[in-house]
Amino acid sequence: MTTRGGTTQRHARVRGGFQRRLMLIFGMQLVAVVVVCLMGFYNVAPFGAVLVVIVIVSALAWLAAQRVWRPVSLLARLIGSWDEGSGDPQAFGTDRLSKRTDRDVATLTRGFHAFASRIAGYNERERNFTRDASHELRSPLTVIKMSTDMLADESSLSEFGQRSVQRIRRASREMEALVEALLILAREADNGQGEQDFVVNDVLRDELVDAREMLHGHPVELKFEEPAKFALHGSPRVFAVLCWQLIRHASQYTGQGTVLVTVLPGAVSVSAKAGDDEDTGGPAQQGFEYAIARRISERFAWPLDLHVQGGNTYVAEIRFPNPMPVPA
């Protein structure tokens, strides 16, 4: 007989109900204790022998219960160590059950196997879609960038055409950053891509040059302060993409004004203040940029805290657990 997933159920290897077996163990213990107590009460056996027999019966009952409970304990440890992102659903396969497996434990194992298989299927489809969609977008983006560069060099292009080319260029740069972020999230098995030691301040300074170009034409001023300086071991490109997503989210939150990027000891802060009469569009924890930044921070274990102070001041802070000093 097979389950819906095609896994063979070996009924010959599966015993009776877990609860029934425990009741049988403790029932036999109770009967034995009662019989021994009656023997001691009617002086059939000495008091010392009664106590010894009670201790032996209780120890045997405990060992039998522990033996019955062992498959449940093993299953609990297996579930506790299973990773939904990279865990193998076959770890819960019923073909791995021993001959002493209880029927209730086997049912739990089959249920967890089906659940783990569904999660693995969802993760695989999400990775495939994100990876394929991101890769398919790179080719047209390259064509757009090359075309805008050639158009910008045309001396006969009107002023209106020059402005249009610049808008297209900025939009393609933003799309390129978005595609790169999606590719980072699609690489489930490669969290350490291009890891190296880098100075946070230097990467941010270079990233802000590109960010100012992409924000050109928006009523947003981008400022940079560095009262601290530290280095990290990781991917500088992942770090830059994370900071750009927060800068873009902050600029959309404030609408107009100043976005301040600050390097703090072991952290980077992105803050912006909306005008008193501006509609910020609801809570700060909204938007596609924030969702991407949150997922990147969770992936690389860089805690991200985002909140609004005083009702209109956006503050996002990324903390880095293992900052390194910058060599002199």
Coordinates of all heavy atoms in Angstrom, one line a residue, residues 81-155:
S81 N 16.3 20.2 14.1 CA 17.5 20.5 13.3 C 17.2 20.7 11.8 O 18.1 21.0 11.1 CB 18.5 19.3 13.5 OG 18.0 18.1 13.0
W82 N 16.0 20.5 11.4 CA 15.7 20.6 10.0 C 15.6 22.1 9.6 O 14.9 22.9 10.2 CB 14.3 19.9 9.7 CG 14.0 19.8 8.2 CD1 14.6 18.9 7.3 CD2 13.1 20.5 7.5 NE1 14.1 19.1 6.1 CE2 13.1 20.1 6.1 CE3 12.1 21.5 7.8 CZ2 12.3 20.6 5.1 CZ3 11.3 22.0 6.8 CH2 11.4 21.5 5.5
D83 N 16.2 22.4 8.4 CA 16.2 23.8 7.9 C 15.2 23.8 6.7 O 15.4 23.1 5.7 CB 17.6 24.2 7.5 CG 17.7 25.6 6.9 OD1 16.6 26.3 7.1 OD2 18.7 26.0 6.4
E84 N 14.2 24.7 6.8 CA 13.2 24.7 5.8 C 13.8 25.3 4.4 O 13.2 25.0 3.4 CB 12.0 25.6 6.2 CG 12.3 27.1 6.4 CD 11.1 27.9 6.7 OE1 10.1 27.3 7.1 OE2 11.2 29.1 6.6
G85 N 14.9 26.0 4.5 CA 15.4 26.6 3.3 C 16.3 25.6 2.5 O 16.3 25.6 1.3
S86 N 17.0 24.7 3.3 CA 17.9 23.8 2.6 C 17.7 22.3 3.1 O 18.5 21.5 2.6 CB 19.3 24.2 2.8 OG 19.7 24.3 4.2
G87 N 16.8 22.1 4.0 CA 16.6 20.7 4.5 C 16.0 19.8 3.5 O 15.3 20.2 2.6
D88 N 16.4 18.5 3.6 CA 16.0 17.5 2.6 C 14.7 16.9 3.2 O 14.7 16.3 4.3 CB 17.1 16.4 2.5 CG 16.7 15.3 1.5 OD1 15.7 15.5 0.8 OD2 17.4 14.3 1.4
P89 N 13.6 16.9 2.4 CA 12.3 16.3 2.9 C 12.4 14.8 3.1 O 11.7 14.2 3.9 CB 11.3 16.6 1.8 CG 11.9 17.8 1.0 CD 13.4 17.6 1.1
Q90 N 13.4 14.2 2.4 CA 13.6 12.7 2.6 C 14.0 12.4 4.0 O 14.1 11.2 4.3 CB 14.5 12.2 1.5 CG 14.0 12.3 0.1 CD 12.7 11.7 -0.1 OE1 12.4 10.6 0.5 NE2 11.8 12.3 -0.8
A91 N 14.5 13.4 4.8 CA 14.8 13.1 6.2 C 13.6 12.5 6.9 O 13.8 11.8 8.0 CB 15.4 14.3 6.8
F92 N 12.4 12.8 6.5 CA 11.2 12.3 7.1 C 10.6 11.2 6.4 O 9.4 10.8 6.6 CB 10.2 13.5 7.2 CG 10.6 14.6 8.0 CD1 11.0 15.8 7.4 CD2 10.7 14.6 9.4 CE1 11.4 16.9 8.1 CE2 11.2 15.7 10.1 CZ 11.5 16.8 9.5
G93 N 11.3 10.6 5.5 CA 10.8 9.5 4.7 C 10.5 8.3 5.5 O 11.3 7.9 6.4
T94 N 9.3 7.6 5.3 CA 8.9 6.5 6.1 C 9.8 5.2 5.8 O 9.7 4.3 6.5 CB 7.4 6.1 5.8 OG1 7.3 6.0 4.3 CG2 6.5 7.2 6.3
D95 N 10.5 5.3 4.7 CA 11.4 4.1 4.4 C 12.6 4.1 5.4 O 13.3 3.1 5.4 CB 11.9 4.2 3.0 CG 12.7 5.5 2.7 OD1 12.4 6.5 3.4 OD2 13.5 5.5 1.7
R96 N 12.8 5.1 6.2 CA 13.8 5.1 7.2 C 13.3 4.7 8.5 O 14.1 4.7 9.5 CB 14.4 6.5 7.3 CG 15.1 7.0 6.0 CD 15.8 8.3 6.2 NE 16.4 8.8 5.0 CZ 17.2 9.9 4.9 NH1 17.4 10.6 6.0 NH2 17.7 10.3 3.7
L97 N 12.1 4.4 8.7 CA 11.5 3.9 9.9 C 12.1 2.6 10.3 O 12.2 1.7 9.4 CB 10.0 3.9 9.9 CG 9.3 5.3 9.6 CD1 7.8 5.1 9.6 CD2 9.7 6.3 10.7
S98 N 12.3 2.3 11.6 CA 12.8 1.0 12.0 C 11.6 0.1 12.2 O 10.4 0.5 12.1 CB 13.5 1.2 13.4 OG 12.6 1.6 14.4
K99 N 11.9 -1.2 12.5 CA 10.9 -2.2 12.6 C 10.1 -2.0 13.9 O 9.0 -2.5 14.0 CB 11.5 -3.6 12.7 CG 12.2 -3.9 11.3 CD 12.8 -5.3 11.4 CE 13.4 -5.7 10.1 NZ 14.0 -7.1 10.1
R100 N 10.6 -1.2 14.9 CA 9.9 -1.0 16.1 C 9.1 0.3 16.1 O 8.7 0.8 17.2 CB 10.9 -1.0 17.3 CG 11.6 -2.3 17.5 CD 12.5 -2.3 18.7 NE 13.1 -3.6 19.0 CZ 12.4 -4.6 19.7 NH1 11.2 -4.3 20.2 NH2 13.0 -5.7 19.9
T101 N 9.0 1.0 15.0 CA 8.3 2.3 15.0 C 6.8 2.1 15.3 O 6.2 1.2 14.7 CB 8.5 2.9 13.6 OG1 9.9 3.1 13.3 CG2 7.8 4.3 13.5
D102 N 6.3 3.0 16.1 CA 4.9 3.0 16.5 C 4.1 3.5 15.4 O 4.5 4.4 14.6 CB 4.8 3.8 17.8 CG 3.3 3.7 18.3 OD1 3.1 2.8 19.1 OD2 2.5 4.6 17.9
R103 N 2.8 3.1 15.3 CA 1.9 3.6 14.2 C 1.7 5.1 14.3 O 1.7 5.8 13.3 CB 0.6 2.8 14.3 CG -0.4 3.3 13.2 CD -1.7 2.6 13.3 NE -1.6 1.1 13.2 CZ -2.0 0.3 14.1 NH1 -2.5 0.7 15.2 NH2 -1.8 -1.0 13.9
D104 N 1.6 5.6 15.5 CA 1.3 7.0 15.7 C 2.6 7.8 15.2 O 2.5 8.9 14.6 CB 1.0 7.4 17.1 CG -0.3 6.8 17.6 OD1 -1.2 6.6 16.7 OD2 -0.5 6.6 18.8
V105 N 3.8 7.3 15.6 CA 5.0 8.0 15.2 C 5.1 7.9 13.6 O 5.6 8.9 13.0 CB 6.2 7.4 15.8 CG1 7.5 8.0 15.3 CG2 6.1 7.5 17.4
A106 N 4.8 6.8 13.0 CA 4.8 6.7 11.6 C 3.9 7.7 10.9 O 4.2 8.3 9.9 CB 4.5 5.3 11.2
T107 N 2.7 7.9 11.5 CA 1.7 8.8 10.9 C 2.3 10.3 11.0 O 2.2 11.0 10.1 CB 0.4 8.7 11.7 OG1 -0.1 7.4 11.6 CG2 -0.6 9.7 11.1
L108 N 2.9 10.6 12.2 CA 3.5 11.9 12.3 C 4.6 12.1 11.3 O 4.8 13.2 10.7 CB 4.1 12.1 13.7 CG 3.1 12.4 14.8 CD1 3.9 12.4 16.2 CD2 2.6 13.8 14.6
T109 N 5.4 11.1 11.1 CA 6.6 11.1 10.1 C 6.0 11.4 8.7 O 6.6 12.2 8.0 CB 7.4 9.9 10.2 OG1 7.9 9.6 11.5 CG2 8.6 10.0 9.3
R110 N 5.0 10.6 8.3 CA 4.4 10.8 7.0 C 3.9 12.3 6.9 O 4.0 12.9 5.8 CB 3.3 9.8 6.7 CG 3.9 8.4 6.5 CD 2.8 7.5 5.9 NE 1.7 7.3 6.9 CZ 1.7 6.3 7.8 NH1 2.7 5.5 7.8 NH2 0.7 6.2 8.6
G111 N 3.2 12.8 7.9 CA 2.7 14.1 7.9 C 3.8 15.2 7.7 O 3.7 16.1 6.9
F112 N 4.9 15.0 8.5 CA 6.0 16.0 8.3 C 6.7 15.8 7.0 O 7.2 16.8 6.4 CB 7.0 15.7 9.5 CG 6.6 16.3 10.8 CD1 6.4 15.5 11.9 CD2 6.4 17.7 10.9 CE1 6.0 16.1 13.1 CE2 6.0 18.3 12.1 CZ 5.8 17.5 13.2
H113 N 6.7 14.6 6.4 CA 7.3 14.4 5.1 C 6.5 15.2 4.1 O 7.1 15.9 3.2 CB 7.4 13.0 4.8 CG 8.0 12.7 3.4 ND1 7.2 12.5 2.3 CD2 9.3 12.5 3.0 CE1 8.0 12.3 1.3 NE2 9.2 12.3 1.7
A114 N 5.2 15.1 4.1 CA 4.4 15.8 3.1 C 4.5 17.3 3.3 O 4.6 18.0 2.3 CB 2.9 15.4 3.3
F115 N 4.6 17.8 4.6 CA 4.7 19.2 4.8 C 6.0 19.7 4.3 O 6.1 20.8 3.7 CB 4.5 19.4 6.3 CG 4.7 20.9 6.7 CD1 3.7 21.8 6.4 CD2 5.8 21.3 7.5 CE1 3.8 23.1 6.8 CE2 5.9 22.6 7.9 CZ 4.9 23.5 7.5
A116 N 7.1 19.0 4.6 CA 8.5 19.4 4.2 C 8.6 19.4 2.7 O 9.2 20.2 2.1 CB 9.5 18.4 4.8
S117 N 7.9 18.4 2.0 CA 8.0 18.4 0.6 C 7.3 19.6 -0.1 O 7.7 20.1 -1.0 CB 7.3 17.1 0.1 OG 8.0 15.9 0.5
R118 N 6.1 20.0 0.5 CA 5.4 21.2 0.0 C 6.3 22.4 0.2 O 6.4 23.3 -0.7 CB 4.1 21.3 0.8 CG 3.1 20.2 0.4 CD 1.8 20.5 1.2 NE 1.2 21.7 0.8 CZ 0.1 22.2 1.4 NH1 -0.5 21.6 2.4 NH2 -0.4 23.4 1.0
I119 N 6.9 22.6 1.4 CA 7.8 23.7 1.6 C 8.9 23.8 0.6 O 9.3 24.8 0.0 CB 8.3 23.8 3.0 CG1 7.1 24.1 4.0 CG2 9.4 24.8 3.2 CD1 7.5 24.1 5.4
A120 N 9.6 22.6 0.4 CA 10.7 22.5 -0.5 C 10.2 22.9 -1.9 O 11.0 23.5 -2.7 CB 11.3 21.1 -0.5
G121 N 9.0 22.4 -2.3 CA 8.5 22.8 -3.6 C 8.3 24.3 -3.8 O 8.6 24.9 -4.8
Y122 N 7.7 24.9 -2.8 CA 7.5 26.3 -2.8 C 8.8 27.1 -2.9 O 8.9 28.0 -3.7 CB 6.8 26.8 -1.5 CG 5.3 26.3 -1.4 CD1 4.8 26.1 -0.1 CD2 4.6 26.0 -2.5 CE1 3.5 25.7 0.0 CE2 3.3 25.6 -2.4 CZ 2.7 25.4 -1.1 OH 1.4 24.9 -1.0
N123 N 9.8 26.7 -2.1 CA 11.1 27.4 -2.2 C 11.8 27.2 -3.5 O 12.3 28.2 -4.1 CB 12.0 26.8 -1.1 CG 11.6 27.2 0.3 OD1 10.9 28.2 0.5 ND2 12.0 26.5 1.3
E124 N 11.7 26.0 -4.1 CA 12.3 25.8 -5.4 C 11.6 26.6 -6.5 O 12.3 27.2 -7.3 CB 12.2 24.3 -5.7 CG 12.9 23.9 -7.0 CD 14.4 24.1 -7.0 OE1 14.9 24.1 -5.9 OE2 15.0 24.2 -8.0
R125 N 10.3 26.6 -6.5 CA 9.6 27.4 -7.5 C 9.9 28.9 -7.4 O 10.1 29.6 -8.4 CB 8.1 27.2 -7.4 CG 7.7 25.8 -7.9 CD 6.2 25.8 -8.1 NE 5.5 25.8 -6.8 CZ 5.2 24.8 -6.0 NH1 5.6 23.5 -6.4 NH2 4.6 24.9 -4.9
E126 N 10.0 29.4 -6.1 CA 10.3 30.8 -5.9 C 11.7 31.1 -6.4 O 12.0 32.2 -7.1 CB 10.2 31.2 -4.4 CG 10.5 32.6 -4.1 CD 10.4 33.0 -2.7 OE1 10.3 32.0 -1.9 OE2 10.5 34.1 -2.3
R127 N 12.7 30.3 -6.1 CA 14.1 30.5 -6.5 C 14.2 30.5 -8.1 O 14.8 31.3 -8.7 CB 15.0 29.4 -5.9 CG 15.3 29.6 -4.5 CD 16.5 28.8 -4.1 NE 16.2 27.3 -4.2 CZ 15.7 26.6 -3.3 NH1 15.4 27.1 -2.1 NH2 15.5 25.3 -3.5
N128 N 13.5 29.5 -8.7 CA 13.6 29.4 -10.1 C 13.0 30.6 -10.8 O 13.5 31.1 -11.8 CB 12.9 28.1 -10.6 CG 13.6 26.9 -10.2 OD1 14.8 26.9 -10.0 ND2 12.9 25.7 -10.2
F129 N 11.8 31.0 -10.3 CA 11.1 32.2 -10.9 C 12.0 33.5 -10.8 O 12.2 34.2 -11.7 CB 9.8 32.4 -10.3 CG 9.1 33.7 -10.7 CD1 8.5 33.7 -12.0 CD2 9.1 34.8 -10.0 CE1 7.8 34.9 -12.4 CE2 8.5 36.0 -10.4 CZ 7.9 36.0 -11.6
T130 N 12.5 33.7 -9.6 CA 13.3 34.9 -9.3 C 14.6 34.9 -10.2 O 15.0 35.9 -10.8 CB 13.7 35.0 -7.8 OG1 12.5 35.0 -7.1 CG2 14.4 36.3 -7.6
R131 N 15.2 33.7 -10.2 CA 16.5 33.6 -11.0 C 16.3 33.8 -12.5 O 16.9 34.6 -13.1 CB 17.1 32.2 -10.7 CG 18.5 32.1 -11.4 CD 19.1 30.7 -11.2 NE 18.2 29.6 -11.6 CZ 17.5 28.8 -10.8 NH1 17.7 28.9 -9.5 NH2 16.8 27.8 -11.3
D132 N 15.2 33.1 -13.0 CA 15.0 33.2 -14.4 C 14.5 34.6 -14.8 O 15.0 35.1 -15.9 CB 13.9 32.1 -14.8 CG 14.4 30.7 -14.6 OD1 15.7 30.5 -14.5 OD2 13.6 29.8 -14.6
A133 N 13.6 35.2 -14.1 CA 13.1 36.5 -14.4 C 14.3 37.5 -14.3 O 14.4 38.4 -15.2 CB 12.0 36.9 -13.4
S134 N 15.1 37.4 -13.3 CA 16.2 38.4 -13.2 C 17.2 38.2 -14.4 O 17.7 39.2 -14.9 CB 17.0 38.1 -11.9 OG 16.1 38.3 -10.8
H135 N 17.5 37.0 -14.7 CA 18.5 36.8 -15.8 C 17.9 37.3 -17.2 O 18.6 37.8 -18.0 CB 18.9 35.3 -15.9 CG 19.9 34.9 -14.9 ND1 21.2 35.4 -15.0 CD2 19.9 34.1 -13.9 CE1 21.9 34.9 -14.0 NE2 21.1 34.1 -13.3
E136 N 16.6 37.1 -17.4 CA 16.0 37.5 -18.6 C 16.0 39.0 -18.7 O 15.9 39.6 -19.8 CB 14.6 36.9 -18.7 CG 14.5 35.4 -18.9 CD 15.1 35.0 -20.3 OE1 15.0 35.8 -21.3 OE2 15.8 34.0 -20.3
L137 N 16.0 39.7 -17.6 CA 16.0 41.2 -17.6 C 17.3 41.8 -17.9 O 17.4 43.0 -18.4 CB 15.4 41.7 -16.3 CG 13.9 41.6 -16.1 CD1 13.6 42.0 -14.6 CD2 13.2 42.5 -17.0
R138 N 18.4 41.0 -17.7 CA 19.7 41.6 -17.9 C 20.0 42.0 -19.4 O 20.7 43.0 -19.6 CB 20.8 40.6 -17.4 CG 20.9 40.7 -15.9 CD 22.1 40.0 -15.4 NE 22.6 40.4 -14.1 CZ 23.6 39.9 -13.5 NH1 24.4 39.0 -14.0 NH2 23.9 40.4 -12.3
S139 N 19.6 41.1 -20.3 CA 19.9 41.4 -21.7 C 19.3 42.7 -22.2 O 20.0 43.5 -22.8 CB 19.5 40.2 -22.6 OG 20.2 39.0 -22.2
P140 N 18.0 42.9 -22.0 CA 17.4 44.2 -22.5 C 18.0 45.4 -21.7 O 18.1 46.5 -22.3 CB 15.9 44.0 -22.2 CG 15.7 42.9 -21.3 CD 16.9 42.0 -21.5
L141 N 18.3 45.2 -20.5 CA 19.0 46.3 -19.7 C 20.3 46.7 -20.4 O 20.6 47.9 -20.5 CB 19.1 46.0 -18.3 CG 17.9 46.1 -17.4 CD1 18.2 45.5 -16.0 CD2 17.4 47.5 -17.3
T142 N 21.1 45.7 -20.7 CA 22.4 46.0 -21.4 C 22.2 46.8 -22.7 O 22.9 47.7 -23.0 CB 23.1 44.7 -21.6 OG1 23.3 44.0 -20.4 CG2 24.5 45.0 -22.3
V143 N 21.1 46.3 -23.5 CA 20.8 47.0 -24.7 C 20.4 48.5 -24.5 O 20.9 49.4 -25.2 CB 19.8 46.2 -25.5 CG1 19.3 47.0 -26.7 CG2 20.2 44.9 -25.9
I144 N 19.6 48.7 -23.5 CA 19.1 50.0 -23.2 C 20.3 50.9 -22.7 O 20.4 52.1 -23.2 CB 18.0 50.0 -22.1 CG1 16.8 49.3 -22.6 CG2 17.7 51.4 -21.5 CD1 15.7 49.0 -21.5
K145 N 21.2 50.4 -21.9 CA 22.3 51.2 -21.5 C 23.2 51.6 -22.6 O 23.7 52.7 -22.7 CB 23.1 50.4 -20.4 CG 22.4 50.3 -19.1 CD 23.2 49.4 -18.1 CE 24.6 49.9 -17.9 NZ 25.4 49.1 -16.9
M146 N 23.5 50.6 -23.5 CA 24.4 50.9 -24.6 C 23.7 51.9 -25.6 O 24.4 52.8 -26.1 CB 24.7 49.6 -25.4 CG 25.6 48.6 -24.6 SD 25.8 47.1 -25.5 CE 26.7 47.7 -27.0
S147 N 22.4 51.8 -25.8 CA 21.7 52.7 -26.7 C 21.7 54.1 -26.1 O 21.9 55.1 -26.8 CB 20.3 52.2 -26.9 OG 20.3 50.9 -27.5
T148 N 21.4 54.3 -24.8 CA 21.4 55.6 -24.2 C 22.8 56.2 -24.2 O 22.9 57.5 -24.4 CB 20.9 55.5 -22.7 OG1 21.7 54.5 -22.0 CG2 19.4 55.1 -22.7
D149 N 23.9 55.4 -24.0 CA 25.2 56.0 -24.1 C 25.5 56.5 -25.5 O 26.1 57.6 -25.7 CB 26.2 54.9 -23.7 CG 26.2 54.6 -22.3 OD1 25.7 55.4 -21.5 OD2 26.7 53.5 -21.9
M150 N 25.1 55.8 -26.5 CA 25.3 56.2 -27.9 C 24.5 57.5 -28.2 O 24.9 58.4 -28.9 CB 25.0 55.1 -28.9 CG 26.0 54.0 -28.8 SD 25.8 52.7 -30.1 CE 24.3 52.0 -29.6
L151 N 23.2 57.5 -27.7 CA 22.4 58.7 -28.0 C 22.9 59.9 -27.3 O 22.8 61.0 -27.8 CB 20.9 58.4 -27.5 CG 20.1 57.5 -28.4 CD1 18.7 57.2 -27.7 CD2 19.8 58.3 -29.7
A152 N 23.5 59.7 -26.1 CA 24.0 60.9 -25.3 C 25.2 61.5 -26.1 O 25.4 62.7 -25.9 CB 24.4 60.5 -23.9
D153 N 25.9 60.8 -26.9 CA 27.0 61.3 -27.6 C 26.6 62.0 -28.9 O 27.4 62.6 -29.6 CB 28.0 60.2 -28.0 CG 28.6 59.6 -26.7 OD1 28.7 60.4 -25.7 OD2 29.1 58.5 -26.7
E154 N 25.3 62.0 -29.3 CA 24.8 62.6 -30.5 C 24.8 64.1 -30.3 O 24.0 64.6 -29.5 CB 23.4 62.1 -30.9 CG 23.4 60.6 -31.4 CD 24.0 60.5 -32.8 OE1 24.0 61.6 -33.5 OE2 24.5 59.5 -33.2
S155 N 25.6 64.8 -31.1 CA 25.6 66.3 -31.0 C 24.3 67.0 -31.5 O 24.0 68.1 -31.1 CB 26.8 66.8 -31.7 OG 26.8 66.5 -33.1

